Amino acid sequence: AAFLIASFASFTGFKQYRLGIPFVIHRISRHYGQMPLYYTLNQFVGGALALIRGVSVGRDGPSVPMGAPGASILADKL
């Protein structure tokens, strides 16, 4: 699972070192809540692969990083 996640992240050019809730807070405070598309894709695929393979993803897991882009897109449309 770790190899699949790392290979997908390298394929998409993922270079973020700040992940999870700290990244969401950073984007809210500095970029008006705009979440990048590559971040959303990597969090979705990485979270799905980790949950499918039984990897511990923490208490919040991918729920906060996946909810923030959805809220960002909805806010843009409204």
Side-chain angles (χ1 to χ4, degrees):
F3 176 73
L4 289 173
I5 293 168
S7 62
F8 182 78
S10 67
F11 175 72
T12 59
F14 192 60
K15 293 182 176 66
Q16 291 295 83
Y17 298 109
R18 183 180 289 169
L19 297 172
I21 296 173
F23 182 74
V24 172
I25 292 172
H26 168 74
R27 294 298 291 193
I28 289 171
S29 65
R30 299 283 188 238
H31 300 282
Y32 302 106
Q34 299 294 320
M35 301 301 287
L37 179 63
Y38 59 87
Y39 174 77
T40 305
L41 291 175
N42 280 311
Q43 288 295 313
F44 181 76
V45 172
L49 287 173
L51 290 173
I52 289 168
R53 294 292 184 174
V55 177
S56 175
V57 291
R59 190 176 69 188
D60 296 324
S63 61
V64 171
M66 285 308 301
S72 174
I73 292 169
L74 180 63
D76 282 343
K77 299 299 178 191
L78 292 176

